[in-house]
Amino acid sequence: MIEKTLSIIKPDGVSKNLIGDIIKRIEGQGLKVKAMKMIHMSKEQAKDFYAVHDGKPFFESVTDFMSSGPCVVMILEGGDVIKKYRDLMGATNFEDAEEGTIRREFATNIEKNVVHGSDAPETAAFEIGYFFNALEIVG
Ligand code: GDP
């Protein structure tokens, strides 16, 4: 089924000059970039984005991290794209991620793990709407 997902190259991925490498991997899987921009979230915007994690021990830290520098946000489209992109990213904790995944290769720790990808159609719809309006999405 053709679906969409939200991808973020997090501040650590941008500062490590990994934008091109990550997009190459995405396109190499046959996934299409339908929208893309660079943003720098405020702390409040990061808290709203990760509201589902409010109350968890890492909430303050991860929202500090996500607002610490620019991110690249993209909408990806393709068959089974939500799962395909999460497979490409690897597990949240890079030590558990499979060889060859983005997080396994480039993450620093469980928090600075380079990329984000939506985990279900409902979260993808919320996350896409959080960053993009209809005019910014091609097709
Ligand atoms: P994801 O869907 O794989 O990104 O994982 P989650 O939705 O569970 O967590 C969101 C983000 O919070 C992760 O990608 C990490 O950046 C961060 N995170 C998750 N678990 C931890 C943790 O135990 N400690 C810290 N410091 N950050 C975490």
Side-chain angles (χ1 to χ4, degrees):
M1 188 180 68
I2 300 291
E3 56 186 17
K4 289 185 174 66
T5 195
L6 183 89
S7 156
I8 304 179
I9 304 176
K10 296 183 180 184
D12 58 331
V14 172
S15 69
K16 289 178 177 173
N17 279 355
L18 292 173
I19 297 171
D21 188 312
I22 291 167
I23 293 174
K24 193 172 174 63
R25 288 166 190 247
I26 289 167
E27 293 188 327
Q29 292 292 309
L31 306 176
K32 294 285 179 198
V33 177
K34 301 293 282 185
M36 175 165 60
K37 61 187 170 188
M38 182 173 272
I39 57 156
H40 186 157
M41 277 184 267
S42 66
K43 172 79 173 173
E44 282 308 309
Q45 288 166 334
K47 285 169 83 171
D48 284 347
F49 176 70
Y50 270 144
V52 65
H53 294 303
D54 195 356
K56 294 187 185 161
F58 60 87
F59 183 64
E60 279 304 317
S61 177
V62 75
T63 52
D64 277 346
F65 164 54
M66 292 299 283
S67 58
S68 67
C71 294
V72 172
V73 288
M74 292 179 274
I75 300 173
L76 310 181
E77 186 180 84
D80 210 14
V81 68
I82 294 173
K83 180 178 186 310
K84 280 187 185 162
Y85 181 57
R86 284 188 70 89
D87 287 348
L88 196 62
M89 293 195 310
T92 309
N93 185 353
F94 78 104
E95 290 172 331
D96 301 329
E98 287 188 29
E99 291 295 336
T101 59
I102 294 168
R103 285 169 165 174
R104 181 77 190 202
E105 288 197 27
F106 301 122
T108 305
N109 53 40
I110 193 170
E111 181 176 281
K112 295 183 176 53
N113 59 4
V114 187
V115 278
H116 167 85
S118 312
D119 61 3
E122 304 73 39
T123 45
F126 165 75
E127 293 175 358
I128 286 170
Y130 191 71
F131 292 111
F132 292 95
N133 66 47
L135 280 176
E136 294 173 308
I137 305 171
V138 175

